[in-house]
Amino acid sequence: MKFERSITAFARAREVIPGGVNSSVRAFKAVGGTPVFMQRGSGATIVDVDGHEFVDYVLSWGPLVLGHAHPAVVRAISNAAARGSSFGAPTEAETELAELICAMVPSIERVRFTSSGTEATMNAVRLARGYTRRDKIVKFAGCYHGAADAFLIAAGSSALSLGVPNSPGVTQSAARDTIALPYNDAAAVRAAFESHPDEIAAVIVEPYVGNMGLVMPQPGYLQALREICTQYKAVLIFDEVMTGFRVARGGVQEREGVLPDLTTLGKVIGGGLPVGAFGGRAEIMDYLTPDGPVFHAGTLSGNPLAMAAGIATLRTIHGDATMYDRLEVLAKLLTNGLHEIMQKHGVSHYSSYAGSMFGTFFCEGPVVDLESAMKSDTGLYAKYFHAMLERGVYFAPSQFEAGFVSTAHSTRDVERTIEAADASFSDIMARSGA
Ligand SMILES: *Cc1c(COP(=O)(O)O)cnc(C)c1O
């Protein structure tokens, strides 16, 4: 494959956009080479500026659970655009999307919209601090909660693959109020609360971590976080920006039966448009201005186009009782198929899947936290990524990201992907002389 137009487009972009991209992970730093510039997408397929087609397992990093350009979503956005794109006054669409979210996510009684997941987590933490009148938060190494200062301590996703876990520009005082602990270690959380019993406002966690690759909680871990937060009167925040409407209608909290006090959402609830949301118990949410003292605002929060795309997406989900079962069957088929191919080629790996999410680490495993995730062979991942790209499969350009399937992906897409992996590993092994 020749990526001539992508190479030209990237050179042009770099003249005016730092690194040529508007979100760091897109730059392919973790896998090498030039980012592929996209032109259009439909269903499970994307087409780049050179005309190559790919089966897409990135899906805009999660939002597109119905695939690209789903007809109901396209119709909803164009109808909304024709009626006016923003008013800065309330619309009924906001209430409708809020009702859909409250109906489907078990712990959410009230919800506020933002324009990104980053804003959702920032506001959830401010609310937790205002509500508890405490300053510190606990987060877990390798979890990613967006690009706000408080979270750029041992952060996952692109902060991880770029090797800047503690970004310059994050002040000492911001860092001092964030306690970073290993994921899947309830004893470490208990110890932190014992040392700071009246200081920790919130524990924020990706209940299934999708931003260091896919890492699942061990049995009892989320329950333990719930018990510790209840005991110390701290706010438990599930960051379900990625997992919400991805692993089940009601997210991880529904699958695991553990209810947080606050939940952050984003990605799927915007149907591909910029959206975030934070919600939870009415008693806490009513602490927000104008009824309460904790400030929140946004010029484009609850934007009509974003609400329309979100409503079309969530209505489709709401009306499809077997959707997440079908998605998980597909994710399982892909994960097991890739597992067999890697075994055949003698590649050490550790895989998992949940709902429409999947992930493979190139190491023995088990991968339970950041330390074990970092044992993965990122050089092999880079080779695998490029070999699959050449064969028309678009995976995330970093080892430390989850993959996604959508309702538009077919068994045939998955079979083609497994065949491509077989050919890719044959090629990689032959080149490495193994
Ligand atoms: C993507 C993501 C965010 C940030 O959302 P943005 O819309 O990119 O700001 C926060 N938390 C998690 C778990 C995410 O996956």
Side-chain angles (χ1 to χ4, degrees):
M1 262 185 206
K2 286 215 161 64
F3 295 99
E4 283 167 5
R5 286 189 66 162
S6 278
I7 291 168
T8 309
F10 188 50
R12 181 177 159 206
R14 283 167 68 93
E15 293 295 319
V16 285
I17 299 171
V21 293
N22 284 300
S23 192
S24 301
V25 72
R26 296 177 198 164
F28 278 32
K29 289 276 186 210
V31 290
T34 304
V36 182
F37 276 58
M38 295 303 168
Q39 190 180 61
R40 63 197 144 89
S42 172
T45 306
I46 45 177
V47 180
D48 75 3
V49 289
D50 287 287
H52 308 122
E53 274 191 26
F54 306 93
V55 180
D56 184 16
Y57 292 103
V58 179
L59 295 170
S60 184
W61 302 93
L64 305 177
V65 76
L66 305 179
H68 292 270
H70 186 280
V73 177
V74 172
R75 212 178 310 121
I77 296 171
S78 50
N79 287 345
R83 290 193 298 266
S85 59
S86 185
F87 305 104
T91 58
E92 288 171 313
E94 292 154 70
T95 310
E96 183 172 354
L97 187 57
E99 284 168 353
L100 281 162
I101 289 171
C102 292
M104 290 191 272
V105 183
S107 71
I108 298 187
E109 296 172 349
R110 301 252 201 286
V111 62
R112 268 280 171 87
F113 293 107
T114 61
S115 297
S116 67
T118 296
E119 275 179 83
T121 54
M122 264 169 54
N123 280 286
V125 163
R126 184 188 300 124
L127 177 58
R129 284 173 165 159
Y131 177 76
T132 57
R133 299 177 188 278
R134 299 174 181 173
D135 289 347
K136 291 192 189 301
I137 61 165
V138 168
K139 82 173 285 288
F140 300 100
C143 285
Y144 179 70
H145 303 295
D149 286 5
F151 308 118
L152 291 179
I153 318 292
S157 191
S158 48
L160 191 60
S161 48
L162 293 174
V164 282
N166 299 290
S167 172
V170 175
T171 63
Q172 290 295 330
S173 59
R176 210 165 29 235
D177 283 332
T178 299
I179 302 171
L181 300 175
Y183 184 74
N184 263 328
D185 183 351
V189 179
R190 203 164 268 118
F193 273 96
E194 279 161 11
S195 341
H196 307 278
D198 302 312
E199 294 173 71
I200 299 170
V203 172
I204 185 166
V205 63
E206 282 186 81
Y208 294 174
V209 191
N211 283 292
M212 53 175 158
L214 180 59
V215 178
M216 301 291 286
Q218 290 182 328
Y221 175 65
L222 296 174
Q223 192 67 51
L225 295 183
R226 176 65 279 173
E227 282 161 15
I228 296 166
C229 285
T230 303
Q231 182 188 342
Y232 287 93
K233 298 187 168 56
V235 176
L236 179 60
I237 306 172
F238 276 7
D239 182 356
E240 300 225 45
V241 170
M242 185 182 285
T243 53
F245 302 96
R246 262 280 159 211
V247 299
R249 284 179 183 203
V252 176
Q253 55 195 274
E254 179 192 297
R255 281 177 72 112
E256 301 291 333
V258 178
L259 298 191
D261 301 300
L262 293 179
T263 301
T264 52
L265 295 169
K267 299 197 167 119
V268 171
I269 65 159
L273 268 68
V275 179
F278 60 111
R281 281 172 32 216
E283 181 214 345
I284 303 179
M285 289 300 290
D286 288 343
Y287 246 67
L288 289 171
T289 52
D291 289 350
V294 177
F295 188 70
H296 168 245
T299 302
L300 293 180
S301 292
N303 173 259
L305 301 195
M307 296 297 103
I311 291 166
T313 301
L314 294 203
R315 268 198 204 145
T316 304
I317 291 171
H318 196 252
D320 185 346
T322 61
M323 173 173 156
Y324 291 95
D325 298 331
R326 297 197 315 275
L327 286 169
E328 187 154 308
V329 165
L330 213 55
K332 180 178 177 183
L333 190 70
L334 180 62
T335 306
N336 290 349
L338 292 175
H339 163 74
E340 278 170 29
I341 295 300
M342 291 175 201
Q343 217 166 23
K344 171 179 150 189
H345 291 279
V347 176
S348 293
H349 64 284
Y350 182 78
S351 313
S352 42
Y353 63 89
S356 60
M357 294 170 66
F358 63 91
T360 298
F361 293 96
F362 290 132
C363 59
E364 281 296 325
V367 174
V368 296
D369 57 11
L370 183 59
E371 194 188 336
S372 43
M374 294 302 278
K375 294 198 174 119
S376 191
D377 182 346
T378 52
L380 178 58
Y381 186 84
K383 287 181 195 159
Y384 174 61
F385 168 80
H386 283 291
M388 293 298 276
L389 192 67
E390 285 286 327
R391 289 168 178 82
V393 177
Y394 191 73
F395 280 143
S398 162
Q399 163 75 91
F400 303 111
E401 304 286 351
F404 305 100
V405 290
S406 74
T407 52
H409 285 70
S410 65
T411 318
R412 182 74 203 113
D413 291 323
V414 167
E415 286 163 0
R416 274 182 42 210
T417 303
I418 295 166
E419 285 159 22
D422 195 8
S424 292
F425 282 115
S426 294
D427 205 26
I428 292 167
M429 294 304 162
R431 279 172 203 231
S432 69

